[in-house]
Amino acid sequence: MALVAHAAATSCKQGGTLRFTVAGPGPGLVVVEDAVDGRPVHRAEVSAGPWDLAVPPHWRSSLYRAVFTPGAGEESEVWFVVRPAEPGVRSRILLSVPFATWQAYNRAGVPGEGLYWTEDPDRAARAGFDRPGGGPPPERWEAGLMRWLRRHGPDVEYCSNLDLHLDPQALLPYRLLVVNGHDEYWTWEMRDRVEGFVAAGGNLAVFGANTAWWQMRLEDGGRTMVCYRDAVADPMAAVAPERATVEWSSHPVNRPENSLTGLSFRQGAGCWGPGMPQMYREAYTTAFAGHWVFEGTGLADGDTFARGGLGYETDAAELDFTDGVPAATGRDGTPASFTVLATADLRHWDAYGQGGWAVMGVFDSGAGTVFNAGTVNWGAALDDPVVHRITRNVFTRLAAPPRTDRWAAIGAAPGATALAGAGSWLFAARPDGTLGVRPSGPQNLPLRPLGPAPGIVALAAPREAVTGGPLHLYAADGAGRLLLRPARPEAAGWTPAGRCPAGTRALAVCDGLLYALDGSGALWSAPQGLPAGSTAREWTRLAPPSRLVALTAVNGRLYAVTADDVLLHRRPGPAQEWQELGPAGGSVLLAGQAGRLVGLGVDGVLRTRGVLPAQGAGPAPGAARPAVVAGAALDRSRA
C-alpha cells in the first residue's frame, strides 16, 4: 500500500524543475525537507505517475529529502541536491555529495540488482538511478560535517558527485572542493577534472575515507553506473584498458588513488559488522603539532584527539618512522610532498575486519593543496574542540584567495649555524659541530648526524656542476676556508678548496659562480670552478655593506634576507638590483631546495615557501619592480 519513488536526476538548480516518478496505489503526500537541518520546505499531494517539483529560486543550495507517505522506508525517500543558479556567487566552497556510493549499496545482496557484495558471482555489474532507494546508509557518514557547516560556517554550495562528471564547468567558480564521508566511486572524467582543478590552484579537502577506491563508468546520460570489479568481465578492458572498472590502483588502470588524495584504503583499516563499535574507542595521535593545521589547538606531538572519529573505514599512506616521527614512504603512490599530521595504529583491527592505519595529512599538488582527514567518520568527532579547530583551520586556509608568500613549518633545527639543500636532502651545520642531514620535503623529520662540521658558518650547493666545480656541498668555516664534500647522506671528509672573503656568513652557488655574504652585509663573487692545479680564487666585491643577513640561490636566481625581515631576489651578475619578494618569515638562515626556499627562524623552526611573488601584489609579470637594495660599481678587491 506504500508509495515509492525516484527522481530523474541527483541534483537540480535553483529555479529549475526536478521530475519524480511515483509508484503505488495513491493518492498520498510528499514532504520535502532540507536534509541538513530537517526543516520542511514543501508539502504536496501526489498520485502514481510523474510529479514535478518546481524548485524555488530562494531555496538554499543544500541536500534535500523528499519523503512520500504512505511509505516503505528508504524506497519512499528520494534524496537530491539543489545547486546554485549562479555558482560561486554565495560561496567559493563546493561540497560534493556521494550519490554514486549510495546507489552502489542500494539493494546490496540482491542477485543481479546490487553492486555488492564485491566478489559475489551474482552481484550486478550495472546499477541504475531510475529506481527507488539509493539514499545514505543508516550511519549517515556525511551528515556530521554538513550539520557543523550549517551551524558554524563557512557557507558552502552543494553538488552531486555526478555533477563533477556531467558538467565540465562545475569546479571553475570555486576555490575549494570538499569531498565528504564515503565517496568510493569515481569516473575517469571526475578524477581528471578534480586533479586539473587542484593542479591549476584549486584546493581539495577530503573529510572522508575509502575515497576514489573504485573506477566506475556512467552510461545512459549518467543514469546508469557501471562497475564490474573484474577486468576480464569488463568489455571495456579490451578497448580502453585504462577505463576498466577495477580499483584505481589495480591493473590495467594502474592509477593509484592516493596520487589524487594522498591516502589509500590499501594501507587503511576497516571494522565491519559486530566489530564496528571498536571504531568509537580509537583516536588520532599528533605527529606534527607545529603545522598550520593544528594552529590554536594547543596540541603537542604525541597528544591524542578525535576519539570516536575514526570510522569503520580509514585511509592511510605507507609509513616509515624516524625517531618516532612518521613519514610517507611514497612507495605506494603517495606524493613526495605529503606531510603526515596524525596517525592511528589500527593494525589490531584485523580481528574485526582489516588491520592497518589511519593517517591525517596534507600535500601540495601543482599550485593547489590537498587536505585529507583519512576517516569516513570525521563528522562524528566535530564536538571535540580540537577537531572543530582543525576543521575551521582547513576551511579558512583552503577557501581563501591563494597566497604564495606564506611560510609553512617543516620541522626544527635549533641552533644551526648553516643550511643548504642538495638533491633530495637538507643539510645543516649543528651547534655541536656536526653536520646534520634529513630528507627534503615538508615532514618534520629530525636531523641525523653525518660527521664533523667544525666551525662551519655557511653551506651551499650548486644546481649543476661546472669544470673544476663539482656538484658538492660547499662550506665556509670561521677561519675563512672554503671546503667541499659530497652532497650525499654518507660519511665523507671535507676537502680544502681555497679561501672565502673574511667574515663570510653565508654562501650561494648560482650560474657557475660562488657568492659570499660577509659579516658587514657586503656581497662577493668568485668562479665556482678552478683550473686544474689552481687553488686560488679571486673574489670580487659586488656591493658594499648592506643590511643583508642571509643568502641562497634557487633555479638561477639569488635570494637574500634583510635585517628587517624582508625577502629579496635578483638575477646573478654584477649589476643586478635586488627586488622585494615579501616577508622573510623571521629567517636568519636561508637555503634553496627543489625550487623552494627553506628558512630557519630565531625560534629554531624550519619553514618553507615558494619563490613566486604574492599574487595580486606588485606589477604584472614582466613589468619592472622597484629596487630596494641597489647594486654598486665593481670593486675588484682580493679576499
Side-chain angles (χ1 to χ4, degrees), residues 290-637:
H291 196 275
W292 63 261
V293 166
F294 290 114
E295 183 179 347
T297 64
L299 291 177
D301 289 348
D303 289 347
T304 59
F305 66 95
R307 191 167 305 279
L310 297 179
Y312 86 129
E313 290 179 339
T314 67
D315 285 353
E318 184 184 68
L319 301 175
D320 272 345
F321 285 79
T322 302
D323 293 342
V325 178
T329 68
R331 290 189 293 257
D332 57 343
T334 293
S337 60
F338 189 86
T339 305
V340 176
L341 301 175
T343 64
D345 185 351
L346 305 176
R347 287 175 289 182
H348 58 284
W349 279 19
D350 57 8
Y352 313 104
Q354 175 175 317
W357 290 78
V359 169
M360 186 180 85
V362 65
F363 69 101
D364 291 334
S365 180
T369 298
V370 177
F371 168 84
N372 199 328
T375 167
V376 77
N377 205 29
W378 182 263
L382 282 163
D383 288 339
D384 179 339
V386 169
V387 176
H388 177 103
R389 182 57 188 263
I390 290 169
T391 309
R392 172 70 64 194
N393 289 346
V394 170
F395 275 99
T396 299
R397 184 149 177 146
L398 300 190
R403 288 275 305 275
T404 55
D405 61 341
R406 196 155 27 195
W407 293 82
I410 62 170
T417 58
L419 199 65
S424 56
W425 301 96
L426 185 65
F427 295 87
R430 306 200 304 175
D432 62 359
T434 63
L435 183 66
V437 65
R438 51 159 275 186
S440 64
Q443 193 65 57
N444 56 326
L445 291 169
L447 292 162
R448 63 176 176 86
L450 191 56
I456 297 298
V457 296
L459 290 169
R463 189 181 189 185
E464 56 190 13
V466 299
T467 302
L471 194 65
H472 273 29
L473 196 61
Y474 292 67
D477 68 8
R481 295 183 302 167
L482 183 68
L483 305 170
L484 294 176
R485 61 150 286 159
R488 295 190 295 270
E490 304 163 359
W494 293 94
T495 301
R499 302 289 300 175
C500 295
T504 291
R505 63 184 298 176
L507 286 175
V509 193
C510 187
D511 190 33
L513 294 172
L514 288 165
Y515 291 86
L517 185 68
D518 69 20
S520 71
L523 186 65
W524 300 75
S525 175
Q528 174 186 345
L530 284 175
S534 175
T535 58
R537 275 186 174 81
E538 180 177 323
W539 287 86
T540 299
R541 194 172 75 168
L542 302 181
S546 67
R547 291 172 56 78
L548 300 183
V549 297
L551 181 72
T552 193
V554 179
N555 295 352
R557 187 176 294 266
L558 293 172
Y559 294 83
V561 175
T562 69
D564 51 355
D565 199 43
V566 176
L567 182 65
L568 309 175
H569 69 109
R570 55 164 279 189
R571 291 191 176 276
Q576 300 294 319
E577 294 182 334
W578 292 101
Q579 299 168 2
E580 186 172 333
L581 191 56
S587 300
V588 293
L589 298 178
L590 205 58
Q593 180 71 61
R596 299 181 65 87
L597 293 165
V598 178
L600 180 69
V602 292
D603 55 3
V605 176
L606 290 165
R607 298 178 177 89
T608 185
R609 60 154 284 174
V611 296
L612 296 177
Q615 295 191 10
R625 289 182 177 270
V628 296
V629 179
L634 291 181
D635 181 357
R636 294 194 174 276
S637 304

Side-chain angles (χ1 to χ4, degrees), residues 7 25 30 41 47 66 96 115 144 174 191 199 250 256 285 348 507 543 547 622:
V30 60
V41 296
S47 298
S96 174
L115 293 185
Y174 297 100
R191 182 156 176 189
S250 293
T285 298
H348 58 284
L507 286 175
R547 291 172 56 78

Side-chain angles (χ1 to χ4, degrees), residues 105 182 184 208-214 247 249 257-258 261-272 311-317 332 346 349 353-357 372 374-376:
Y105 284 88
H182 195 183
E184 187 177 357
N210 198 214
T211 307
W213 179 250
W214 296 105
E247 296 100 328
S249 59
E257 64 282 357
N258 42 329
T261 66
L263 303 173
S264 170
F265 185 56
R266 283 173 288 141
Q267 306 293 337
C271 60
W272 302 286
Y312 86 129
E313 290 179 339
T314 67
D315 285 353
D332 57 343
L346 305 176
W349 279 19
Q354 175 175 317
W357 290 78
N372 199 328
T375 167
V376 77

